[in-house]
Amino acid sequence: MATIQLGLDTFGDVTRGADGELLSDAETIRNVVDQAVLADEVGLYFFGVGEHHRPEFAVSSPEIVLAAAAARTRSIRLGTAVTVLSSDDPVRVYERFATLDAISNGRAEIILGRGSFIESFPLFGYDLRDYERLFDEKLDLFSQLMAEQPVTWQGTMRAPLEAADVFPKTANGLTAWVGVGGTPESVVRAARYGYGLMLAIIGGPAHRFRPFVDLYRRSLTTFDRAPLPIGVHSPGHVAETDQQAWDEAYPGFEAMNNTIGRERGWPPYSRMRFQHDVGPEGALYVGSPETVARKIAATVTTLGVERFDLKYSTGTLSHEHMMRSIELYGTEVAPRVRELLAS
């Protein structure tokens, strides 16, 4: 556990500038690339960019943003959080990430998911009634493409393939995960196809997800697969003190929760709810470097995972605050987590 991989995720949230006005999508995207560069400079393992198709998030084509980051970074691994495979074409997805892998000299990763937001389905002409079948079939095809050999495949949601090959070829294959929000069926599916498991823990205590970790490992054994990595994705923010981190992060969490909540029927977000969520029983990793490090170490120990990705962008939190959060996460949180786990 002392060799835990620590990464960052962002959805490219559109943020506010010093004047209080929302930045343009273009400036937000350029800031995301700068954030990836800083993450590389402070020695973090992974930088992930999510795919969305709605006004709160600027990034709809993560691979292009990641390619820009690849050209300006040296060591950090680059991937998605997540790629909505259900509303995309597996062949094009594979080719785009194989291209990113070439640009980054083998640092590309992909986290595949069904998507917790549904805007991409009508946008690209898919029926939400096919939500499960789309992902199942496309994951099956993507899994065959991973071998980088000619593929013959037939399903019901896209045209069949006959001895079809994909290009470019990668030097050493792609690293791929399946992002799971917390259903047993999704956990078993990830094991069946041989993908790493990335648990999106965005609510409640981490220990609630231990049964999914155990199910995944049992399923790998059932499918006669070697052990595969398990990771956690959770929101957070780091500042010099707990109070500073809470005060900086709360407006963004409130804005984002209330925007999504109006669509999904959630009650209005409150400071009381926020303070619960940043506590031991909540899923927000917000506080000083010591507070965040201790909470991450506790989660890693409880679940026995190999990776933790902090979703450091939330709502309208400013670029400057996010840059400081990344700096503290890499220079103070990461070494303290390893120290705690080693002891």
Side-chain angles (χ1 to χ4, degrees), residues 34-197:
D34 288 342
Q35 291 155 17
V37 171
L38 178 58
D40 184 52
E41 291 173 350
V42 297
L44 293 167
Y45 181 82
F46 175 78
F47 188 84
V49 181
E51 172 198 347
H52 293 86
H53 305 269
R54 51 183 294 141
E56 295 84 9
F57 307 112
V59 179
S60 58
S61 300
E63 304 92 334
I64 296 178
V65 178
L66 292 167
R72 293 181 54 195
T73 55
R74 309 178 78 177
S75 301
I76 196 166
R77 297 187 66 80
L78 302 164
T80 46
V82 298
T83 291
V84 186
L85 185 64
S86 306
S87 57
D88 211 330
D89 184 81
V91 175
R92 293 294 293 132
V93 171
Y94 196 86
E95 290 178 340
R96 294 198 301 265
F97 275 89
T99 303
L100 174 64
D101 198 64
I103 294 169
S104 65
N105 195 22
R107 291 184 281 135
E109 295 192 8
I110 182 169
I111 301 176
L112 302 165
R114 295 179 298 173
S116 60
F117 292 90
I118 60 173
E119 289 78 13
S120 63
F121 290 82
L123 186 63
F124 299 120
Y126 292 99
D127 192 329
L128 276 171
R129 290 175 295 185
D130 297 323
Y131 185 78
E132 286 288 345
R133 189 155 51 118
L134 280 165
F135 188 68
D136 223 9
E137 283 198 9
K138 292 186 176 187
L139 188 65
D140 178 63
L141 174 53
F142 192 88
S143 300
Q144 295 188 42
L145 295 168
M146 288 274 285
E148 298 192 356
Q149 298 294 323
V151 170
T152 297
W153 178 93
Q154 185 167 354
T156 62
M157 306 308 297
R158 78 176 307 280
L161 297 175
E162 181 66 35
D165 214 348
V166 294
F167 303 96
K169 304 297 184 184
T170 65
N172 297 295
L174 279 179
T175 298
W177 307 65
V178 167
V180 173
T183 64
E185 295 81 8
S186 297
V187 171
V188 173
R189 181 193 287 122
R192 182 169 74 248
Y193 285 108
Y195 291 96
L197 180 70

